[in-house]
């Protein structure tokens, strides 16, 4: 909800599901408080991210884009009229680096009926006559989406672009059980946190995408995730060893029985030890067949490092080969050690899926031209 005009008895809000092409795109709407008079304030098929001014009475700031349409930021009145265009993103220098926009796709879930959506990143220097290893860059929710419908993927896109630059096809999607669709779609997670946002949908999506994209090598598929995504990455390796051959699990919540009950009970129910046990990667450690890198911060303030250490202990007991990196002093996001952790993670996937030794490198600082600096400090 964006604004309530009490005098006119009208409420303004954003809603998804109004764009046939992509049900995740957000539209600014209005309706009377009695439910009548529904209308779309923005009706262009784009995704709209709204910022409200301090008073929020006369206008709003609107950023309109899609995953492959750069954002245009405007000031609009509450009738949807553009009062002034503030900024039109210029991606000329970005495309000059060899970057290409990701492709939004729609495929069927594992049930063969439900539509699911995601984005696909092609590797830099893409050649359709080559075959490329694939990385599923996942986060299972069920409290947030993995894929944003706008041009900026935000924090969830932190690794997709670098992995594509290294030569991987990168896939990110929202399977059943994630939010942003119908209640039934979200309810697919209830009592089934163990499904990790329906990993079966991820496996089905990879197969469908590869049918029309022969440059996707499904014999070399990896998985990468952080936090809930770390749990899901390890779970993918354990539940779908025929699909995922290498995985990186960062700060993973590998056992619901030892995690935040406020989160676990929201989706698996209160006093449901059977569901919690099903969500344990620790109990399935003997299934590991592929190559796995476990990473955890020593001072993780959200997912205790015991999650990863207990999984490692069980993998050792099962005589499984894996790699383990405990980062001293690092908390949940690993933010203070991000460059090192990401380099180790990317190098692991290059070794295991490309079969080559990566060069010794560090992520380069982002060069900012003097023109932009002048604008920033003018």
């Amino acid at each position: 909800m964006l604004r309530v005009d009490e005098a006119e008895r009208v409420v303004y809000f954003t809603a998804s599901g109004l764009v046939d092409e992509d049900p995740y795109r957000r539209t600014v709407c209005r309706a009377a408080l009695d439910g009548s008079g529904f209308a779309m304030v923005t009706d262009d098929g784009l995704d709209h991210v709204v910022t409200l001014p301090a008073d929020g009475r006369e206008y709003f700031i609107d950023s309109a884009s899609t995953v492959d349409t750069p954002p245009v930021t405007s000031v609009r009145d509450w009738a949807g009229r553009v009062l002034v265009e503030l900024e039109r993103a210029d991606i000329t220098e970005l495309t000059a680096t060899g970057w290409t926009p990701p492709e939004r796709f729609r495929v069927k879930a594992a049930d063969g009926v439900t539509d699911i959506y995601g984005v696909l990143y092609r590797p830099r220097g893409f050649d359709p006559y080559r075959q490329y290893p694939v990385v599923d860059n996942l986060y299972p929710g069920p409290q947030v989406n993995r894929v944003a419908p706008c041009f900026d993927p935000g924090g969830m896109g932190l690794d997709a672009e670098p992995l594509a630059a290294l030569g991987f096809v990168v896939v990110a999607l929202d399977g059943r059980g994630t939010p942003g669709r119908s209640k039934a779609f979200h309810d697919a997670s209830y009592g089934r946190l163990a499904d990790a946002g329906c990993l079966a949908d991820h496996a089905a999506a990879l197969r469908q995408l590869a049918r029309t994209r022969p440059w996707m090598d499904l014999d070399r598929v990896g998985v990468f995730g952080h936090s809930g995504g770390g749990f899901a990455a390890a779970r993918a390796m354990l539940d779908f060893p025929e699909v995922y051959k290498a995985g990186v699990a960062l700060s993973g919540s590998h056992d619901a029985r030892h995690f935040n009950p406020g989160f676990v009970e929201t989706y698996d129910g209160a006093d449901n030890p059977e569901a919690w046990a099903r969500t344990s990667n620790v109990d399935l450690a003997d299934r590991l067949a592929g190559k796995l890198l476990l990473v955890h911060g020593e001072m993780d303030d959200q997912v205790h490092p015991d999650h990863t250490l207990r999984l490692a202990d069980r993998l050792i007991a099962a005589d499984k080969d894996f790699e383990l990196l405990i980062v001293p002093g690092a908390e949940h996001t690993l933010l203070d050690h991000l460059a090192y952790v990401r380099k180790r993670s990317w190098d692991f996937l290059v070794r295991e899926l490309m079969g080559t030794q990566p060069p010794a490198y560090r992520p380069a600082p982002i060069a900012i031209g003097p023109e932009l600096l002048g604008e920033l400090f003018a």
Side-chain angles (χ1 to χ4, degrees):
M1 189 167 64
L2 302 173
R3 177 195 178 205
V4 176
D5 187 330
E6 295 185 6
E8 298 293 331
R9 298 195 56 77
V10 171
V11 59
Y12 296 88
F13 55 95
T14 54
S16 300
L18 299 173
V19 179
D20 291 339
E21 181 183 350
D22 187 340
Y24 290 91
R25 291 182 192 170
R26 293 158 286 193
T27 303
V28 180
C29 305
R30 59 171 282 161
L33 293 180
D34 63 4
S36 64
F38 171 83
M40 291 184 285
V41 176
T42 57
D43 188 15
D44 51 17
L46 300 175
D47 179 62
H48 291 267
V49 177
V50 174
T51 303
L52 297 175
D55 56 30
R57 287 179 293 182
E58 304 300 330
Y59 63 90
F60 62 94
I61 301 168
D62 170 54
S63 178
S65 68
T66 68
V67 295
D68 56 1
T69 305
V72 175
T73 304
S74 306
V75 177
R76 293 177 181 261
D77 65 17
W78 289 104
R81 292 184 294 262
V82 175
L83 303 179
V84 61
E85 183 178 300
L86 297 177
E87 182 178 63
R88 187 173 293 266
D90 182 356
I91 63 169
T92 304
E93 292 190 24
L94 179 61
T95 55
T97 68
W99 176 88
T100 56
E103 170 194 349
R104 186 69 156 160
F105 65 79
R106 176 178 63 187
V107 294
K108 293 297 183 183
D111 64 3
V113 175
T114 307
D115 286 335
I116 55 175
Y117 295 77
V119 294
L120 182 148
Y121 298 78
R122 287 179 174 81
R124 296 287 178 94
F126 173 70
D127 180 351
Y129 298 102
R130 288 182 55 191
Q131 278 204 312
Y132 296 93
V134 181
V135 174
D136 186 352
N137 187 12
L138 52 70
Y139 187 84
Q143 80 282 21
V144 296
N145 295 108
R146 168 62 186 82
V147 182
C150 56
F151 189 79
D152 178 11
M156 291 296 181
L158 186 62
D159 293 284
E161 295 282 7
L163 287 168
L166 288 172
F168 294 99
V169 174
V170 184
V171 173
L173 66 93
D174 285 304
R176 286 171 293 166
T178 53
R181 300 277 293 279
S182 67
K183 185 177 186 301
F185 192 93
H186 196 195
D187 281 351
S189 279
Y190 192 76
R192 290 186 287 272
L193 276 179
D195 292 346
C198 205
L199 286 168
D201 288 351
H202 288 247
L206 290 170
R207 290 190 291 269
Q208 291 172 69
L209 290 169
R211 287 177 196 148
T212 55
R213 298 164 181 84
W215 31 268
M216 293 175 61
D217 187 351
L218 294 193
D219 290 328
R220 295 183 292 160
V221 177
V223 60
F224 186 106
H226 172 266
S227 190
F231 157 74
R235 190 66 171 220
M237 299 285 294
L238 301 172
D239 277 353
F240 295 90
E242 74 283 2
V243 176
Y244 299 100
K245 305 305 168 55
V248 177
L250 306 172
S251 308
S253 50
H254 296 294
D255 197 329
R257 296 167 296 192
H258 300 272
F259 191 48
N260 175 0
F263 174 82
V264 172
E265 293 185 1
T266 297
Y267 292 98
D268 267 352
D271 192 25
N272 191 356
E274 291 184 2
W276 306 341
R278 289 196 299 270
T279 313
S280 171
N281 287 338
V282 175
D283 292 349
L284 306 179
D286 59 347
R287 293 183 182 179
L288 183 67
K291 304 295 185 179
L292 177 63
L293 169 62
L294 298 172
V295 182
H296 219 111
E298 176 200 25
M299 301 297 289
D300 193 319
D301 53 338
Q302 296 187 44
V303 179
H304 195 282
D306 175 65
H307 279 253
T308 288
L309 292 174
R310 291 180 67 248
L311 178 56
D313 181 60
R314 196 66 64 87
L315 288 168
I316 291 170
D319 195 27
K320 298 295 182 178
D321 292 333
F322 66 100
E323 296 187 25
L324 173 65
L325 172 62
I326 300 296
V327 186
E331 38 66 75
H332 185 62
T333 65
L334 305 161
L335 193 60
D336 291 339
H337 304 76
L338 198 58
Y340 179 79
V341 169
R342 255 47 190 197
K343 179 185 72 69
R344 286 286 303 271
S345 302
W346 302 336
D347 283 356
F348 176 84
L349 293 171
V350 167
R351 286 197 309 272
E352 301 301 337
L353 296 176
M354 293 182 174
T356 61
Q357 288 297 323
Y361 67 87
R362 295 293 187 272
I366 298 174
I368 300 179
E371 304 86 0
L372 180 56
L373 284 175
E375 293 176 7
L376 290 174
F377 296 103

